[in-house]
Amino acid sequence: MVPIQMVDLKRQYNKIKPQVDAAIEEVLNSTAFINGSAVQQFSAELQTYLGVKHVIPCANGTDALQIAMMALGLEPGDEIITPSFTFIATAEVIALLRLKPVFVDIDPKTYCLDISAVEKAITSKTKAIVPVHLYGQVADMEPLMALAAKHNLYVIEDNAQAIGADYTFADGSRKKAGTIGHIGCTSFFPSKNLGCYGDGGAIFTNDDEIAAKLRMVANHGQSARYYHDVVGCNSRLDSVQAAVLRIKLPLLDQYIEARRAVADAYDAGFADVPAIITPYRAENGYHVFHQYTLQLEGADRNKLQEFLASKGIPAMIYYPVPAHRQKMFADFGGAEFNLPVTDHLTHRVISLPIHTEMDQEQLDYIIQSVKTFLNTPA
């Protein structure tokens, strides 16, 4: 059996090696390493794929979130509502800009923002909401956008884990995750469903005015070369990474289906295991399974992780300490937030290997290993 990895990037690369190598060599020969033609072409192609007016590439997903908040002209002390059950970058950039993170609880099925909790958290200081499409599941965007419109709030989608996912509205229309809010942000970290071979990110919007501000902020606040209108930063997607992403973008839907097939196999394999709650798939969202995350009840999650490691099976805990309980947010009153669903899940979730190259032998071995642990008397 091929050794099991959380994400097998080498096997994926081997399938596209000739195209990737040629694309990288083209960049090297052009010597246009920054903002070369590959960057422009990738931006246009991603715009078409997402059905969005503007794609602004940047250096990574964290920068994408920071640039989005900077472009909206938010002021120190403004409140930003976001989940605590997420990768730290979502909340980190809020604090970095001297804004105030307001943590709210999540839906126990989808692991995305609880809309009723968001509504209760809105105050006169609230300026934006940052939903996270966690693990590849799309947050319930239609009621969230209605709530934001009611209170005149911005919505910044953290789409680092759900690029390519669809959301279906009540009228049957569909949009891609990241294109529904005022701004969408994503990461092209290598392990993502659409990953490059280094760091990379992008920002999406359908608003021309916001797009202009995003471009300025990402490029030292320049409206024209050497003319700096606002305080900005320096965040760019380099040409080599764009070249890799151009090869992989046409394969994204295929990659998503491969991940969903793995998820289907896991779902079937664990259907008869009472201690396991398999990932919920919301009817109005197309789960793209950046992670396959189990919820355990009546079983020791940490001991399962140790057992799987002893069998050569990596398993990860995303995330063992929620943002509101991190030391970095102590001064923001993090521990004062009452988030029972978040606290419950952080002790019970565990993510199994999922990627585009998994085979049936690996899946059978992982499923049987998990069952063996759960059937072992304490």
Side-chain angles (χ1 to χ4, degrees):
M1 183 173 63
V2 175
I4 298 170
Q5 300 183 48
M6 285 297 291
V7 180
D8 195 336
L9 293 176
K10 186 169 184 180
R11 290 174 72 192
Q12 186 188 75
Y13 164 62
N14 284 338
K15 287 186 177 180
I16 55 175
K17 178 178 168 57
Q19 301 97 303
V20 169
D21 290 358
I24 292 175
E25 185 175 4
E26 184 177 343
V27 173
L28 297 177
N29 287 332
S30 74
T31 68
F33 302 121
I34 300 296
N35 206 31
S37 62
V39 178
Q40 310 307 316
Q41 291 167 330
F42 172 67
S43 297
E45 290 159 1
L46 187 57
Q47 283 172 196
T48 299
Y49 174 84
L50 293 173
V52 71
K53 287 183 69 175
H54 303 279
V55 168
I56 296 92
C58 60
N60 53 68
T62 306
D63 277 9
L65 288 163
Q66 179 180 328
I67 292 164
M69 293 179 196
M70 292 174 70
L72 294 177
L74 304 176
E75 299 290 339
D78 286 348
E79 295 178 354
I80 313 296
I81 296 174
T82 193
S84 176
F85 193 60
T86 178
F87 181 58
I88 201 66
T90 312
E92 181 181 35
V93 295
I94 298 172
L96 181 67
L97 296 173
R98 296 169 61 200
L99 308 169
K100 182 181 179 181
V102 175
F103 298 112
V104 299
D105 220 342
I106 52 175
D107 181 281
K109 289 184 176 180
T110 66
Y111 306 156
C112 297
L113 278 179
D114 179 335
I115 308 302
S116 63
V118 173
E119 187 163 22
K120 292 174 184 176
I122 294 172
T123 72
S124 60
K125 295 182 179 180
T126 307
K127 294 296 186 292
I129 306 167
V130 184
V132 179
H133 304 315
L134 197 69
Y135 301 148
Q137 177 102 261
V138 187
D140 198 1
M141 292 300 295
E142 188 166 16
L144 185 65
M145 292 304 296
L147 183 63
K150 176 182 176 182
H151 294 276
N152 195 30
L153 305 175
Y154 290 113
V155 174
I156 303 169
E157 295 177 72
D158 184 336
N159 194 38
Q161 298 187 16
I163 192 164
D166 289 318
Y167 179 84
T168 303
F169 292 82
D171 64 3
S173 62
R174 293 183 180 181
K175 286 187 178 181
K176 291 290 187 185
T179 71
I180 304 166
H182 299 91
I183 303 176
C185 303
T186 201
S187 164
F188 301 125
F189 189 78
S191 64
K192 303 298 186 186
N193 291 23
L194 178 61
C196 56
Y197 291 168
D199 267 321
I203 316 161
F204 324 131
T205 187
N206 285 303
D207 187 301
D208 295 343
E209 184 177 346
I210 290 176
K213 290 178 181 177
L214 290 167
R215 289 191 173 93
M216 286 173 60
V217 171
N219 187 27
H220 300 288
Q222 294 184 105
S223 56
R225 195 171 188 183
Y226 302 128
Y227 290 82
H228 307 268
D229 295 1
V230 297
V231 174
C233 60
N234 177 30
S235 187
R236 298 179 290 217
L237 177 70
D238 71 64
S239 300
V240 169
Q241 303 308 330
V244 172
L245 290 165
R246 288 195 68 212
I247 301 301
K248 297 179 78 173
L249 179 59
L251 302 172
L252 177 55
D253 289 345
Q254 177 183 320
Y255 288 163
I256 289 170
E257 292 311 309
R259 286 173 172 270
R260 285 176 59 88
V262 171
D264 290 345
Y266 279 142
D267 283 354
F270 297 132
D272 60 347
V273 183
I276 290 178
I277 299 174
T278 54
Y280 176 76
R281 306 189 195 195
E283 291 184 3
N284 58 358
Y286 195 73
H287 203 314
V288 297
F289 286 100
H290 173 60
Q291 303 295 346
Y292 184 88
T293 304
L294 300 177
Q295 185 182 155
L296 299 183
E297 294 295 342
D300 191 315
R301 184 265 313 272
N302 293 343
K303 287 185 178 178
L304 172 59
Q305 185 183 37
E306 293 172 4
F307 176 80
L308 292 177
S310 74
K311 298 292 185 180
I313 302 170
M316 296 294 291
I317 297 168
Y318 306 111
Y319 300 93
V321 182
H324 74 291
R325 297 200 178 277
Q326 297 282 357
K327 290 181 180 179
M328 69 190 297
F329 291 115
D331 291 342
F332 291 89
E336 298 172 10
F337 288 98
N338 181 31
L339 309 177
V341 177
T342 295
D343 286 332
H344 177 84
L345 289 173
T346 53
H347 296 290
R348 288 167 174 80
V349 295
I350 185 167
S351 298
L352 300 179
I354 187 166
H355 55 79
T356 57
E357 312 306 314
M358 294 193 75
D359 57 48
Q360 195 61 48
E361 183 181 17
Q362 292 176 318
L363 285 167
D364 290 343
Y365 179 69
I366 294 168
I367 291 166
Q368 189 55 52
S369 297
V370 172
K371 286 183 170 182
T372 297
F373 173 82
L374 293 175
N375 290 332
T376 301

